Each structure stands twice: as C-alpha cells, then as structure tokens.
Amino acid sequence: MGRYAVFGLMSLAVLLVHRGGLRALGTRRLLTAVHLGVVGYIGFYLLLAMSAELGGGVVASTMTGLIPLMVTLVSNLLEKVLAWRRLVLPVVVISIGLLLVNSGEPAGGSASSRDLALGAVLGFLASAAWSYFVIVNRRALQHARPGVDGTTWTACIGLGACFGSLFLLPLALAGGGPSPVSDAGTLWPFLAWCVTLAVLGSWCATWFWNIASKRLPATVMGPVIGMEAVFGAAFNLLWEGRTPTAHELWGGLLVVAGVLLASYLFNRAGLTRNTSHDDTDDTDAAAGPAPRPLPAGPPSTA
C-alpha cells in the first residue's frame, strides 16, 4: 500500500501538469488505464507476493517466465507476426528452462511440497494477470488518440494502482505483526522502500514499458519479458546471499537462450518482410510509371 500510495501521488502530480493529455485521453481510455493499474499491479503483485511467501522467491520469480510464453502465443494469434512452426523451438527452450529451475530442491528446503505447489499455482495466476496487462496495454496504446503521451498514460495507470491498493487495507490490518509506522526505527526504512519501489519498480518500469509497447509488436515484447524471471531470480539469490543451484543456473541460461532465439526469429521475419517490400518498390520504380490504359470507347447507349 505504501508503494502504490507513492506511485499514486506521483501520478496525480504529473496529471496536474499534463492536463491537456488527460483531456485528450477521454473517459473510456481513462477507465481502461485505471483497470490496467488494478489488474497489472495489485492483482499481479499480490499474487506474486503470496507465491513468494509460500514457494520461495526463486520459484515465484521463475514462474513469471511463463509470461513471455503467454504473451507470445496470444499476441501471435492476434497479430500473426510469425509462423507457428517457428515458435516451437523458443517456446520449448524457455519451457524446459522453467521446468528445470522449479524441479530442483530449494536451498534450505523450508517449504513443503504442498506450499511449493500452491506457490507455483499463485505464480501462474500472477503470470496470467501480467500477460493480460501487456497485451491490453499495448493494444490500447496503439489505438490511442494523437494527443495522448506515454507520461499521461503511465500516470493514469498509477492512479488505478493507488485506488486498487485501498482494497488491501483490510488484509493489512488483519495481517498482524509489528506496524511499520510504530517507531522511527521501522518508519524510515519502510518509507525508503516505498519510495524506491514506487520510483523504480512502478513509475520508471511502466514508463519505459509504455515506450517500448508503442514501438515493438507484442510478439517481440513477449520474449523480452522472460528476462524478468532471470533478473528476479538473480536479485533473490543476492538477497539470500547464496549461489544458484545447478537446476537454477542451467534453467536460467535456457530461459535467456530462448528469449534471444525468439528475438532473433522475430527480427529475421521482420527483415525478410521489409526486404521483400523494398525489392518490390525498387522493381516498380525501375520499370517507370505504369502505362495508362487505352480508352474503352464511348459508353453504350443501350
């Protein structure tokens, strides 16, 4: 709640400055951005946090590697950028990497099999929520009005995340444990984490993502999200102060390899398509203007 309260205050300040962009957005697209903030941030983050608590940070982070698969398959179904047979290899490589990471025993072995299974299910639901955000967010940006900029759109998403976090208040009050605002020793670290996560993990990440969503097809964005799982697992290993197990290491490398392979295939498909178009244009230009058709004669008087 603290993170998204800061995110919401930042977004409100931006919208007060960019009032013209807010007017150009319109009511329908404003509601779209707000609901994306609820689903993509509150839904995704809450499910991911519960997954990490039950199954461990590495399991939760690597389960987000399902997002590129979901986004790639659904986006290619909608946009038909790449032939399905070309998607088989990167999808299989990323899938094997995810299975390999999650098949090993977690370091410490503190989580039971039931908690690991429930954590994996929650991680899958979190991946579905973020995949929905990626696809709908890009399609909304592609059909946005000319006056709508990425900063205004990011701020509207931030408002949705802030409003959605209010529904977490009963959970926070019923959670028990020490209050983060009980004394100065816990208040300042709590506020520091809220600001850091809001600025880096919410505002900057959303702003960069919206810029990329305007410039790249969703089928390219899908494999790139696979790096989220790798970075998440790597940061978690640094937090725990340990080296990766063999399963985690080779699984992470396979995820990276699958992402690079998918990006290469998508880029190659785009270059081939553009080259064929350029060749056609050059041929037409060299041939000169097309001959004008002969008159068909006077119209019939019948």
Side-chain angles (χ1 to χ4, degrees):
M1 291 189 64
R3 168 186 181 175
Y4 292 122
V6 176
F7 190 19
L9 290 175
M10 294 174 60
S11 301
L12 183 60
V14 169
L15 290 177
L16 290 176
V17 177
H18 294 78
R19 296 180 183 178
L22 185 60
R23 287 192 295 268
L25 191 64
T27 303
R28 185 170 63 87
R29 288 182 173 84
L30 173 62
L31 294 177
T32 300
V34 169
H35 109 275
L36 285 174
V38 175
V39 175
Y41 286 88
I42 304 305
F44 167 73
Y45 193 72
L46 182 61
L47 291 169
L48 189 64
M50 292 190 296
S51 174
E53 184 177 9
L54 290 174
V58 173
V59 170
S61 299
T62 51
M63 282 302 294
T64 61
L66 290 174
I67 298 175
L69 305 181
M70 295 180 180
V71 173
T72 299
L73 295 177
V74 175
S75 298
N76 201 58
L77 181 65
L78 297 174
E79 300 182 0
K80 298 178 176 61
V81 175
L82 198 63
W84 288 108
R85 58 185 176 82
R86 294 180 177 270
L87 283 174
V88 173
L89 185 57
V91 167
V92 169
V93 171
I94 295 177
S95 301
I96 293 176
L98 292 171
L99 291 174
L100 193 59
V101 170
N102 292 300
S103 63
E105 290 292 333
S110 57
S112 64
S113 299
R114 180 178 177 275
D115 288 342
L116 285 174
L118 185 56
V121 171
L122 291 171
F124 175 82
L125 295 177
S127 301
W130 190 249
S131 300
Y132 173 85
F133 172 89
V134 170
I135 296 172
V136 176
N137 182 63
R138 180 189 176 276
R139 294 176 71 86
L141 285 172
Q142 291 295 317
H143 297 89
R145 298 174 181 175
V148 178
D149 60 294
T151 303
T152 301
W153 186 257
T154 301
C156 293
I157 292 177
L159 286 183
C162 181
F163 292 149
S165 67
L166 298 178
F167 292 98
L168 301 179
L169 183 59
L171 295 177
L173 295 177
S179 172
V181 297
S182 58
D183 57 77
T186 57
L187 174 61
W188 293 114
F190 172 73
L191 293 178
W193 277 113
C194 290
V195 173
T196 301
L197 291 173
V199 174
L200 297 179
S202 296
W203 179 264
C204 291
T206 307
W207 189 62
F208 288 143
W209 188 259
N210 288 334
I211 295 176
S213 296
K214 279 189 172 182
R215 302 188 179 203
L216 296 174
T219 41
V220 177
M221 299 296 291
V224 173
I225 309 174
M227 298 304 298
E228 181 179 2
V230 177
F231 281 117
F235 286 139
N236 189 77
L237 292 173
L238 289 175
W239 182 264
E240 294 181 354
R242 65 178 179 89
T243 57
T245 64
H247 290 83
E248 293 167 347
L249 176 61
W250 288 106
L253 292 176
L254 283 175
V255 171
V256 175
V259 170
L260 295 177
L261 178 60
S263 300
Y264 168 76
L265 292 176
F266 285 126
N267 290 334
R268 185 176 179 182
L271 290 174
T272 303
R273 193 179 302 112
N274 292 335
T275 302
S276 63
H277 290 169
D278 293 342
D279 292 343
T280 302
D281 296 340
D282 293 342
T283 303
D284 294 341
R292 297 179 62 180
L294 295 176
S300 172
T301 57

